Amino acid sequence: MPASDSEANRFSARAARYARVGANMGGVAARMAGARFLGLKGEDLSNAAALAQALGGLKGPIMKVAQLLATVPDLLPPEYAQELQKLQSEAPPMGAAFVKRRMAAELGPDWQGRFGQFDLKPSAAASLGQVHRATTSDGRPLACKLQYPDMQSAVEADLKQLELAFALHRRMRVAIDTREIAKEIGDRVREELDYLREAKHALLYGEVLRGIPAVRVPAVHPDLSTKRLLTLSWLDGEKILTHAQAPLEIRNRLAHAMFKAWWHPFSRAAVIHGDPHLGNYTVFSEGGEPQGINLLDYGCIRIFHPRFVGGVVDLYKGLLHDDQARIVHAYESWGFRRLNRELIDILNIWARFIYGPLLEDRVRTVADGVKPGEYGRRQAFEVHRALKERGPVTVPREFVFMDRAAVGLGAVFLHLRSELNYHRLFEAEIDRFSLDELAARQEQALTAAGLPLPA
């Protein structure tokens, strides 16, 4: 990458981004405001579709933020969340001329000579970049994720718009103070721009999941990676929904692999994959039968302080044994303030939903009779209604991606209709849990990957 970064956060690029976002959003905002003023509840669905259409034409963080907002429970009305979730992987790809210019900017004018083959047509397109298939000079398959231009400027412009949106949200709905949520989303989206950091995330997951054969992590190719180009080994696999009608044994096997992919790194290194949507993993087979999952994307990784994991374990144990002191300690360790019995009861509505499958020592589905798109919405509504009566509550920022991961993972289990003893799986992950041992393991793993320790 050139020493002079021509794509640093530039005022001219930010100004152009403001204009694009404003042009797409202005008409939709006017429709939404008019419908709210006139009390036209029936307009919600059409307004939601218009909002999704406006955002769908914009690449970059504004679409990423829309996806994040759609998966944070109770942050948007259900009809808006459903429309925005459709944006997950529908961004139109950039053309071959664009790809050639971008690759030359990252690896130099002779970039093509560093590959055996490079497909100029992307195999996948998302909000911040697109993925191309390639091979090394000796024929090994590669996945090259190439970032769209001017994303740093676009991020700062779009996050400023997000701050305004959250400020409006706080004025209209007083149940949840969104300031910490806005900070968390901003930090994580900025991290996703740094593909060198994402490469370190992949190295971290490769180490933490080394002893889990049901989960495969791609190898990093640092010689073919830059801040805006990430090259990993290509992992062959099928979409997980391809196996939604497979025999129960196979569906359970895949669900077990998904459980390990998310909760093993959390319990062993206090790290979690915060973006469990269907495009971030595929199913690999051996001997003609599905055996596990490929974990593909490492942009949205949340590294926690070990004490946060300690709070998760404390709340689980407190709910399991009806230990009120331990439940209170968990909430306090996460930073909840001004706790009282009423607030604890409200928070426990959501906690019992999240922990529900883990608390019952039996084989069960995650939530019988609940559609994936509605998973968690009833509990979120109950929490919102109760909080609205008592005033705003500041939700600690760590919960944005923790909740997103939990709800997203639960939706995968619903798609698979898996039947597992989630209680015993979780107990195995936290067996003989020790904060000191977790801190030591995390420090070792992060240091080996070249990542800083959490504050």
Side-chain angles (χ1 to χ4, degrees):
M1 189 168 61
S4 176
D5 189 351
S6 63
E7 294 186 22
N9 182 19
R10 298 181 292 119
F11 173 77
S12 59
R14 295 199 310 276
R17 184 67 176 181
Y18 286 135
R20 288 190 65 208
V21 173
N24 280 42
M25 295 294 290
V28 178
R31 284 183 58 181
M32 293 169 64
R36 178 176 292 274
F37 178 75
L38 296 173
L40 301 178
K41 299 295 185 181
E43 292 294 311
D44 284 351
L45 189 57
S46 62
N47 286 340
L51 176 62
Q53 184 177 14
L55 291 173
L58 291 171
K59 287 189 176 296
I62 194 70
M63 195 175 99
K64 172 63 70 174
V65 167
Q67 295 167 7
L68 295 176
L69 296 180
T71 54
V72 176
D74 201 38
L75 209 55
L76 293 173
E79 60 273 8
Y80 285 84
Q82 290 167 11
E83 287 296 324
L84 294 182
Q85 282 175 326
K86 298 176 183 178
L87 296 176
Q88 292 283 21
S89 59
E90 295 178 3
M94 294 293 188
F98 155 81
V99 173
K100 290 179 180 178
R101 291 195 300 270
R102 296 296 291 162
M103 291 299 293
E106 298 307 312
L107 295 180
D110 61 341
W111 68 271
Q112 287 178 303
R114 302 177 67 174
F115 296 92
Q117 293 181 332
F118 190 97
D119 189 351
L120 294 173
K121 182 179 180 181
S123 62
S127 53
L128 302 182
Q130 59 191 38
V131 178
H132 294 261
R133 296 197 69 162
T135 64
T136 61
S137 56
D138 58 357
R140 288 172 291 161
L142 300 172
C144 298
K145 184 163 76 167
L146 184 61
Q147 193 174 116
Y148 301 130
D150 283 326
M151 282 295 97
Q152 186 176 351
S153 298
V155 158
E156 297 309 320
D158 289 358
L159 289 177
K160 183 63 67 175
Q161 299 278 14
L162 176 65
E163 290 177 11
L164 295 174
F166 271 128
L168 178 62
H169 179 276
R170 287 192 294 272
R171 293 179 61 185
M172 296 168 61
R173 304 173 72 195
V174 298
I176 298 174
D177 188 326
T178 56
R179 275 172 285 217
E180 290 299 309
I181 294 174
K183 292 177 185 177
E184 177 71 6
I185 290 177
D187 286 352
R188 299 289 81 76
V189 172
R190 289 185 181 99
E191 282 183 359
E192 285 201 58
L193 286 175
D194 187 353
Y195 287 2
L196 292 177
R197 182 183 176 92
E198 184 173 348
K200 294 175 182 178
H201 289 164
L203 291 172
L204 171 64
Y205 264 70
E207 178 61 31
V208 174
L209 291 169
R210 186 180 301 278
I212 310 297
V215 184
R216 292 181 176 177
V217 175
V220 178
H221 289 256
D223 58 320
L224 297 173
S225 298
T226 69
K227 187 176 181 180
R228 299 186 181 96
L229 170 67
L230 175 61
T231 301
L232 305 172
S233 59
W234 182 276
L235 298 178
D236 284 320
E238 301 175 293
K239 294 180 179 180
I240 196 165
L241 291 185
T242 303
H243 304 284
Q245 303 303 321
L248 180 60
E249 178 185 359
I250 290 176
R251 288 184 277 121
N252 283 347
R253 184 184 303 156
L254 298 179
H256 189 186
M258 291 289 295
F259 190 97
K260 297 293 286 188
W262 264 259
W263 294 118
H264 190 76
F266 184 73
S267 64
R268 292 299 184 273
V271 59
I272 202 163
H273 197 297
D275 197 7
H277 73 74
L278 295 176
N280 280 344
Y281 40 82
T282 55
V283 175
F284 70 83
S285 296
E286 291 180 348
E289 189 170 284
Q291 298 296 334
I293 67 162
N294 301 313
L295 195 55
L296 303 179
D297 190 279
Y298 298 87
C300 190
I301 299 297
R302 195 15 162 129
I303 301 172
F304 299 96
H305 191 283
R307 64 174 171 266
F308 181 82
V309 182
V312 171
V313 174
D314 279 335
L315 184 54
Y316 165 76
K317 294 289 189 181
L319 293 172
L320 185 65
H321 301 296
D322 195 25
D323 185 340
Q324 293 302 309
R326 199 162 187 175
I327 291 173
V328 171
H329 176 70
Y331 289 132
E332 288 179 339
S333 70
W334 288 332
F336 282 99
R337 298 292 177 257
R338 298 187 296 276
L339 286 171
N340 55 39
R341 183 69 191 186
E342 179 189 14
L343 178 56
I344 290 170
D345 287 343
I346 295 170
L347 294 175
N348 281 348
I349 296 173
W350 186 245
R352 291 187 185 282
F353 161 69
I354 293 293
Y355 285 98
L358 309 179
L359 296 173
E360 297 186 6
D361 186 7
R362 65 181 178 89
V363 174
R364 53 165 285 178
T365 61
V366 166
D368 293 332
V370 176
K371 297 178 181 178
E374 298 174 0
Y375 186 60
R377 297 240 168 243
R378 178 178 61 81
Q379 291 83 358
F381 174 77
E382 291 178 8
V383 170
H384 174 263
R385 182 176 58 186
L387 290 178
K388 195 169 184 177
E389 295 175 355
R390 71 175 306 279
V393 170
T394 300
V395 178
R397 59 189 303 173
E398 291 88 350
F399 278 86
V400 175
F401 291 94
M402 188 69 189
D403 271 3
R404 187 179 188 224
V407 174
L409 189 58
V412 174
F413 296 149
L414 286 171
H415 279 298
L416 290 173
R417 293 172 292 117
S418 52
E419 299 176 14
L420 296 171
N421 190 317
Y422 296 100
H423 170 79
R424 295 191 181 182
L425 291 178
F426 190 69
E427 284 282 343
E429 292 299 334
I430 63 171
D431 184 39
R432 294 188 295 275
F433 177 79
S434 162
L435 271 179
D436 290 340
E437 291 180 7
L438 172 59
R441 287 195 305 266
Q442 183 191 63
E443 181 176 5
Q444 181 180 8
L446 293 181
T447 300
L451 289 162
L453 294 177

